[in-house]
Amino acid sequence: LIATFNAEVIDGQEADDAMGINQTGDTIICSIDKDLLMIPGKHYNFVKDEFQEVDEAQAIKNFYMQCLTGDRSDNIKGIEKIGPKKAEKILEGCVTEQELFNAVREAYSNDEEFIMNGRVLWIRRKDNEDWKDRFNALVQEQVGGTSLGNTEEGIPFS
């Protein structure tokens, strides 16, 4: 079966991370898992027969939405009493990742909890990537430290 679909067995990391790391302009992530929509690129939900392309700005926003709402299927609680509607309201008007980060950090009002949830929710895009490093860079940016750069959409990312 593996040879039929040109699949690869991955050891030492979650399959989600392997897909995130290997996503390119020439690949399509085929999954019913909405978590993977935090990875930019092409996605295909084979159960709903739906194809969509997620840009960097939407991918980052999807991640911060999950930080707020959590993920019950993965036993990640997010922030109590915040569902998708409240999360959208919290992120309303945010244009850059820094603004998304600041809004979510304020909603958490507990960096330890935010870091823990961010680390388990983040799907890596590079080997050995840790969301805690991104958190620290965004804190630095917030206090006037180094710039993370900007995409054309205005979303900074490392």
Side-chain angles (χ1 to χ4, degrees), residues 5-154:
F5 291 103
N6 195 25
E8 183 179 338
V9 175
I10 300 294
D11 290 319
Q13 67 181 335
E14 288 193 33
D16 289 2
D17 289 324
M19 286 188 281
I21 291 166
N22 289 294
Q23 176 76 318
T24 68
D26 296 334
T27 61
I28 301 173
I29 292 177
C30 298
S31 177
I32 61 171
D33 189 349
K34 67 175 176 45
D35 300 355
L36 288 159
L37 296 176
M38 72 177 69
I39 300 298
K42 297 172 188 153
H43 294 263
Y44 177 68
N45 181 323
F46 49 86
V47 170
K48 295 180 178 179
D49 191 26
E50 291 178 352
F51 175 85
Q52 79 182 92
E53 192 152 351
V54 178
D55 65 17
E56 179 68 27
Q58 188 60 53
I60 292 295
K61 184 175 181 184
N62 290 342
F63 167 72
Y64 285 105
M65 285 284 294
Q66 275 206 293
C67 284
L68 292 168
T69 62
D71 186 339
R72 282 186 176 78
S73 65
D74 288 333
N75 203 25
I76 300 165
K77 66 179 183 171
I79 299 176
E80 192 174 337
K81 298 183 181 178
I82 294 185
K85 288 182 182 179
K86 283 186 181 177
E88 279 289 348
K89 186 83 170 145
I90 290 169
L91 300 180
E92 190 175 64
C94 294
V95 177
T96 66
E97 180 173 11
Q98 189 68 54
E99 292 169 341
L100 292 163
F101 174 83
N102 293 348
V104 174
R105 188 177 186 206
E106 183 178 323
Y108 265 88
S109 68
N110 179 333
D111 282 353
E112 191 174 307
E113 190 97 1
F114 184 23
I115 290 169
M116 181 183 64
N117 283 345
R119 288 180 87 186
V120 294
L121 287 167
W122 182 255
I123 297 174
R124 293 184 292 141
R125 300 167 185 200
K126 296 180 255 181
D127 284 323
N128 302 316
E129 183 179 33
D130 186 332
W131 188 79
K132 186 175 181 179
D133 296 333
R134 193 176 184 109
F135 175 93
N136 290 330
L138 287 159
V139 168
Q140 279 296 108
E141 179 73 14
Q142 187 176 27
V143 295
T146 59
S147 173
L148 293 174
N150 290 298
T151 67
E152 289 180 1
E153 293 85 18

